[in-house]
Amino acid sequence: LAILSERLGYSNRAIYYYEQLVDDKKRSLPAYYLALSNLYDFKNSNRSLEVIREGRALFPGNKDLLFKEINIYVETGAYSEVERSVGAALQLDPENVSLNYLAGFSYETMGKKDKAVEYYEKVIALEPNNYEGNYALGLFYLNSYIKPNNDQESSLSLAKKYLTTAGEINPNSVNVLKSLAVLYNNTGDMVELERVNEKLKQFILTN
């Protein structure tokens, strides 16, 4: 009845039946918790998270429930919780590129730069042509280059390397072009700056 009500679009009725299913802990399944949490997404976000946590307590090794929990934390900006949950997820799936990137992003958001770089580098090790990983590292080293009291020569080299790679992977990335423009403006490389600015103008005109 829960599945039928859900398919027919009777969300309140579906919630009622799924609540009964998850209350029966001996017969309940991870899919019931996931479906119930999804139904609560647009009605009661707190209950959506509660349902997932209840499901995770019963089925701690279930990837679907864990990934759903991570998505909720990401959407609410609870990155300390993302860090904890991603750590658990990586134990189940250590070579998951998206999870490694998310770990890096979470650490960067919390100011743990070294840990962020570690996970971004792992993303590229797993998938060299990953745009997000290359761009994140390029941006990190660009910021390091601009800030004083850093190893500017090394940061400049790495910023160029990763931003250029990101641009090759996604030639239409305005973010990469803008980052390269900042880089060349700071280095005084007017030839490259003009080239990048011209590409930016062309992109703006054609989009």
Side-chain angles (χ1 to χ4, degrees), residues 45-88:
S45 58
N46 289 333
R47 180 57 184 151
S48 176
L49 179 56
E50 284 175 3
V51 169
I52 286 298
R53 284 175 170 169
E54 290 168 10
R56 290 264 297 120
L58 276 179
F59 308 101
N62 185 271
K63 287 185 183 180
D64 293 333
L65 293 175
L66 179 53
F67 289 176
K68 171 70 177 183
E69 183 182 37
I70 291 169
N71 285 333
I72 293 174
Y73 290 139
V74 170
E75 289 170 3
T76 57
Y79 288 104
S80 60
E81 294 296 335
V82 173
E83 177 189 1
R84 179 185 59 78
S85 298
V86 165

Side-chain angles (χ1 to χ4, degrees), residues 170-183:
N170 184 2
N172 296 323
S173 172
V174 173
N175 287 334
V176 169
L177 291 173
K178 287 180 178 178
S179 298
L180 285 170
V182 171
L183 179 68

